[in-house]
Amino acid sequence: MADATDHLWMHFTRMASYSAGEVPTIVRGEGTYVWDAQGRRYLDGLAGLFVVNAGHGRTELAEAAAKQAAELAYFPLWSYAHPKAVELAEKIASLTPGDLNRVFFTTGGSEAVETAWKLARAYFKRTGRPNKHKVVSRYLAYHGTSMGALSITGLPGIKSDFEPLVPGGIKVPNTNFYRAPEHGDSPEAFGVWAADEIRRAIEREGPDTVAAVFLEPLQNSGGCFPPPPGYFQRVREICDAYDVLLVSDEVICSWGRLGEYFGAVRYGYQPDIITTAKGITSGYAPLGAMIASDRLMEPFLTETGMFAHGVTFGGHPVSCAVALANLEVFAREDLIGHVRANEDAFRSTLEKLTDLPIVGDVRGDGYFYGIELVKDKSTKATFDEAESERLLRGFLSTALFSAGLYCRADDRGDPVVQLAPPLISGQEQFDEMEQILRAVLTEAWSRL
């Protein structure tokens, strides 16, 4: 096999780090495991990239793709339809909360987020409020890499090379209760405070200029921040009061990751738009979607109305066929119920690691967890930039992979290890993760 560094430009990768070494090359997957080109096996503790929810090696999904490609490989959704897109849109609408019945297909999450912002702007222009164009999102939140989605993203480190970005992005505090700047003794009070920061931002900018609030049900970047009790209910009240759309960015948090088809259901709130991707096909084909309420489509149902936006491969027939087959697997094997039945065991297994001096916090829900690493548990002292570089990139990422666990050691915020295994995982995989993490984190502490 040719050296991957010769021609392949890998995503979010320091290419120079492989100048004197071989690029890890994964060649096969089965269930919750993957194998590299040398035949070594790894537990997939991140479901690829929060994607392979139904697990690897599902031949029925591959067969669904082949069957559809032989029948109709491609046709656009530009003024035409094809059966699988129609069937999948109907299926999705049957699973979404409330009146989220309008499904606009994309090829991935960034496109879905981009589509949602464009819809918000277009909707308000068509309903007589053309100045409503700004977007509120949270610090450290990741919403995608296209220019609009990147403007919504709250990670300065991945934006600086591409500035100036799309104007109108407004940032507010996230829901990291472990490092709460206010009300650190009360999750409920902290939730009200964090939600009201959104209200204050809207008021500062002027409600007549703000179109939408983009929030993940459980924030990924920064290390899995669950919402405090009552947080989303308060955000919904604020959005209603100022006529601002609530967008639930569920590119990661949908399709069972939190024990429901949609994270909004898990946390009991009604969004105006859901963005989704990743687990909708379990990664067997690329697909994303923006799912909007009926009222947001109304201005585009006039005789000459049109949402002037489209994606060549959005709603690709093969991807839609795979998504339908994937949802059949979910139903047949009750993967949603499996997550709900096992999430407490996953949490309690990971919480065993809190006896280690380097583990400050274990947080998350469903099959989506972050483990925050600290220098001092009593003070919650974190690592500086140089220490984080040595800890995460200099040791942990390589050591965890070498020990047989593929996961994410992340420094977008305070250092964390993130885990989001395939939804078919059970106690055997939980124990394996805990054992590998314990050994590697113990060694990491000895190196500090």
Side-chain angles (χ1 to χ4, degrees):
M1 183 178 294
D3 189 341
T5 60
D6 289 347
H7 305 289
L8 180 63
W9 199 332
M10 290 172 284
H11 301 204
F12 283 107
T13 299
R14 296 181 180 182
M15 298 296 290
S17 64
Y18 293 114
S19 59
E22 186 177 348
V23 177
T25 304
I26 303 301
V27 299
R28 183 169 71 89
E30 184 67 34
T32 58
Y33 296 91
V34 294
W35 284 260
D36 68 13
Q38 284 71 46
R40 293 185 290 260
R41 190 184 80 163
Y42 305 88
L43 175 59
D44 184 357
L46 205 63
L49 193 61
F50 317 103
V51 170
V52 191
N53 289 9
H56 297 275
R58 293 279 189 172
T59 56
E60 63 265 53
L61 302 189
E63 289 165 357
K67 180 180 178 182
Q68 180 59 45
E71 183 176 299
L72 178 66
Y74 175 75
F75 209 80
L77 295 179
W78 300 42
S79 301
Y80 299 89
H82 58 76
K84 294 303 181 185
V86 173
E87 185 180 351
L88 180 58
E90 182 179 14
K91 178 65 176 178
I92 291 171
S94 74
L95 298 172
T96 52
D99 68 340
L100 296 176
N101 295 317
R102 304 294 185 162
V103 182
F104 188 103
F105 287 116
T106 67
T107 60
S110 292
E111 287 178 354
V113 169
E114 198 89 11
T115 301
W117 193 2
K118 290 179 75 172
L119 175 61
R121 287 185 167 203
Y123 171 78
F124 285 118
K125 283 185 185 296
R126 287 172 177 267
T127 55
R129 291 157 291 175
N131 292 328
K132 288 177 78 72
H133 67 281
K134 298 175 185 176
V135 166
V136 178
S137 60
R138 298 183 289 203
Y139 292 128
L140 298 181
Y142 177 84
H143 292 284
T145 55
S146 56
M147 292 299 278
L150 191 59
S151 302
I152 300 171
T153 290
L155 292 162
I158 67 169
K159 298 198 289 186
S160 58
D161 277 351
F162 313 109
E163 292 175 329
L165 299 175
V166 180
I170 307 157
K171 303 299 177 288
V172 297
N174 57 49
T175 59
N176 182 3
F177 183 65
Y178 183 64
R179 298 193 177 278
E182 301 279 348
H183 306 291
D185 58 345
S186 169
E188 292 79 7
F190 173 63
V192 171
W193 172 84
D196 279 346
E197 284 295 294
I198 295 173
R199 174 183 58 80
R200 285 185 276 271
I202 293 171
E203 291 172 348
R204 284 194 304 270
E205 296 293 325
D208 60 339
T209 71
V210 179
V213 174
F214 277 69
L215 303 173
E216 296 166 275
L218 190 159
Q219 184 174 317
N220 162 37
S221 184
C224 296
F225 304 144
Y231 172 79
F232 274 111
Q233 289 68 35
R234 177 63 180 144
V235 172
R236 180 71 266 179
E237 292 174 358
I238 293 165
C239 289
D240 290 341
Y242 292 107
D243 196 15
V244 171
L245 303 182
L246 175 54
V247 181
S248 188
D249 184 358
E250 306 209 15
V251 171
I252 290 176
C253 292
S254 50
W255 312 115
R257 179 59 51 195
L258 299 181
E260 296 284 353
Y261 279 106
F262 294 97
V265 175
R266 168 68 187 249
Y267 297 127
Y269 65 95
Q270 179 60 53
D272 300 294
I273 298 173
I274 286 176
T275 54
T276 187
K278 294 187 183 288
I280 190 172
T281 64
S282 286
Y284 286 72
L287 186 66
M290 177 202 69
I291 313 162
S293 68
D294 288 326
R295 77 179 176 98
L296 296 183
M297 193 174 192
E298 287 176 5
F300 304 96
L301 294 177
T302 62
E303 186 174 343
T304 58
M306 178 180 66
F307 181 38
H309 176 62
V311 182
T312 298
F313 292 108
H316 192 284
V318 173
S319 296
C320 289
V322 171
L324 286 164
N326 181 52
L327 293 178
E328 288 176 5
V329 170
F330 269 66
R332 184 175 69 246
E333 300 183 11
D334 190 20
L335 293 185
I336 302 293
H338 180 78
V339 172
R340 287 199 296 263
N342 288 277
E343 64 175 338
D344 289 344
F346 188 29
R347 177 189 291 272
S348 62
T349 302
L350 294 179
E351 285 179 341
K352 293 178 182 179
L353 297 168
T354 57
D355 67 348
L356 298 178
I358 198 172
V359 174
D361 193 28
V362 175
R363 56 181 177 255
D365 278 318
Y367 273 27
F368 192 18
Y369 276 86
I371 301 169
E372 183 168 335
L373 309 179
V374 295
K375 285 196 295 187
D376 188 319
K377 293 178 74 162
S378 62
T379 65
K380 302 183 183 178
T382 190
F383 300 89
D384 63 31
E385 187 174 346
E387 292 168 334
S388 184
E389 175 77 16
R390 291 195 302 271
L391 174 66
L392 295 180
R393 291 188 174 86
F395 176 70
L396 274 181
S397 293
T398 301
L400 288 166
F401 191 68
S402 297
L405 176 62
Y406 167 69
C407 59
R408 170 181 273 176
D410 193 3
D411 63 350
R412 298 178 298 176
D414 297 303
V416 296
V417 175
Q418 282 187 297
L419 298 159
L423 307 188
I424 59 174
S425 302
Q427 191 61 52
E428 179 182 352
Q429 287 74 38
F430 305 158
D431 288 339
E432 186 175 354
M433 279 184 265
E434 190 271 340
Q435 290 158 13
I436 292 173
L437 285 163
R438 177 172 295 278
V440 174
L441 291 176
T442 298
E443 184 176 352
W445 182 255
S446 72
R447 289 169 171 256
L448 295 177

